[in-house]
Amino acid sequence: MTLIMNHYDTKYDLDFLLNMSKPDVYRLDFNGTELIEVIRLWN
């Protein structure tokens, strides 16, 4: 999941992966191929 997110925004990198809880669920909102918003759904 982090690799896909990193493709659209480089702030989702290895540090993000290592610090996220697991399991985790995010919703990615797009306008065409542009990433508009990332929302964490699982707390």
Side-chain angles (χ1 to χ4, degrees), residues 6-43:
N6 179 265
H7 175 78
Y8 294 99
D9 190 334
T10 57
K11 74 179 178 184
Y12 301 105
D13 56 8
L14 181 59
D15 287 333
F16 174 79
L17 173 65
L18 296 176
N19 290 306
M20 67 189 287
S21 62
K22 292 158 186 83
D24 230 341
V25 177
Y26 288 84
R27 184 180 87 198
L28 307 178
D29 292 333
F30 291 90
N31 181 8
T33 59
E34 180 183 359
L35 180 62
I36 301 298
E37 184 176 32
V38 176
I39 300 170
R40 184 175 180 211
L41 300 175
W42 183 282
N43 289 317

